[in-house]
């Protein structure tokens, strides 16, 4: 087996394994604190939207399943995280509205080929906006709260592996650009979380 092929197999499977637990640190952090401080609701909603568009695009063009298998897993984890955020913000009833919107989006995307193509191009903007919303929230509060650097760090790793697998398989430029942009922004969020993380001494002073 040639080295590039071995690396491709490793990249695909390591991405899947990481994504299976990607949101766990964030979810567990929120559960332990019983608070969603430091997390942006808008960011999570846009992230789910971006994931749905990306998954639908790959399915529509019948790309190799190993290049997008992690997205159903990520969507499911984000759905759980979203429910916790809504619960701790006292707006859990909004979950039904969001579910209806996502269902409508999923079915609308494949009505015409041009719709899914435009949606994929917008997907990068949508996903980037989700990162900027999280960054804006961190800058405004100057506190990373329950935001998990580990979760964002793992997301950064999956971007690296997907840049490689995209180059080696589909060569889709739009998909490649998306992962490069996401890699840069994920790194930025990780740095912001670490910068605004309160030290134990600071928390004691507040008490």
């Amino acid at each position: 087996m040639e080295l590039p092929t071995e690396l491709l197999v490793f990249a695909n499977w390591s991405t899947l394994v990481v994504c299976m637990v990607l949101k766990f640190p964030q979810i567990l952090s929120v559960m332990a604190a019983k608070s969603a401080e430091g997390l942006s609701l808008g960011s999570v909603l846009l992230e789910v939207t971006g994931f749905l568009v990306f998954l639908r695009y790959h399915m529509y063009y019948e790309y190799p399943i190993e290049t997008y298998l992690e997205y159903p897993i990520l969507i499911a984890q984000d759905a759980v995280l979203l429910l916790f955020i809504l619960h701790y913000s006292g707006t859990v009833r909004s979950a039904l509205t969001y579910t209806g919107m996502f269902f409508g989006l999923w079915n609308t995307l494949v009505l015409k080929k041009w719709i899914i193509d435009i949606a994929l191009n917008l997907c990068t903007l949508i996903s980037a906006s989700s990162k900027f919303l999280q960054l804006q929230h961190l800058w405004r509060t100057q506190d990373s709260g329950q935001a998990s650097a580990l979760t964002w760090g793992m997301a950064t790793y999956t971007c690296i592996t997907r840049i490689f697998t995209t180059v080696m398989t589909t060569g889709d430029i739009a998909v490649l650009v998306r992962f490069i942009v996401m890699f840069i922004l994920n790194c930025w969020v990780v740095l912001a979380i670490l910068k605004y993380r309160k030290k134990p001494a600071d928390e004691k002073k507040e008490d």
Side-chain angles (χ1 to χ4, degrees):
M1 186 180 290
E2 296 180 357
L3 184 59
T5 305
E6 293 178 341
L7 288 175
L8 183 61
V9 172
F10 173 78
N12 279 323
W13 284 103
S14 65
T15 299
L16 180 60
V17 170
V18 169
C19 286
M20 288 178 69
V21 296
L22 181 65
K23 297 291 181 177
F24 279 23
Q26 185 63 83
I27 293 172
L28 293 175
S29 176
V30 170
M31 290 176 63
K34 294 184 178 180
S35 167
E37 277 187 48
L39 300 178
S40 167
L41 173 61
S43 175
V44 178
L45 288 172
L46 285 177
E47 183 174 68
V48 175
T49 301
F51 286 164
L52 284 171
V53 172
F54 203 69
L55 174 61
R56 198 60 158 155
Y57 178 87
H58 278 66
M59 293 175 64
Y60 182 84
Y61 282 103
E62 298 181 347
Y63 282 162
I65 191 170
E66 62 268 19
T67 63
Y68 65 89
L69 188 58
E70 70 269 21
Y71 282 89
I73 300 172
L74 289 173
I75 291 170
Q77 292 179 64
D78 257 346
V80 173
L81 179 59
L82 186 57
L83 285 174
F84 275 113
I85 293 175
L86 292 175
H87 172 69
Y88 290 122
S89 63
T91 57
V92 71
R93 291 183 179 179
S94 302
L96 188 60
T97 301
Y98 294 135
T99 301
M101 291 170 60
F102 290 139
F103 181 78
L105 173 66
W106 180 261
N107 289 285
T108 302
L109 286 171
V110 291
L111 291 178
K112 296 287 183 179
K113 180 180 180 298
W114 64 266
I115 296 178
I116 192 71
D117 288 340
I118 291 177
L120 191 278
N121 290 323
L122 290 175
C123 181
T124 299
L125 179 61
I126 292 171
S127 296
S129 297
S130 76
K131 314 299 181 186
F132 277 119
L133 280 178
Q134 181 60 50
L135 285 167
Q136 183 185 44
H137 185 78
L138 292 170
W139 290 333
R140 186 176 65 252
T141 62
Q142 300 285 295
D143 179 12
S144 59
Q146 310 313 315
S148 171
L150 179 57
T151 286
W152 286 92
M154 289 192 292
T156 303
Y157 170 78
T158 62
C159 287
I160 296 173
T161 57
R162 280 310 177 207
I163 289 172
F164 174 70
T165 58
T166 301
V167 170
M168 294 294 293
T169 54
T170 65
D172 193 311
I173 297 300
V175 173
L176 185 59
V177 169
R178 178 185 184 276
F179 281 124
I180 292 173
V181 172
M182 292 306 100
F183 167 72
I184 295 171
L185 292 177
N186 280 336
C187 288
W188 198 353
V189 174
V190 170
L191 292 175
I193 290 174
L194 295 176
K195 178 180 179 180
Y196 295 125
R197 176 171 290 168
K198 287 189 175 181
K199 298 178 181 178
D202 294 333
E203 294 176 354
K204 289 180 181 179
K205 287 180 181 179
E206 290 183 3
D207 294 339

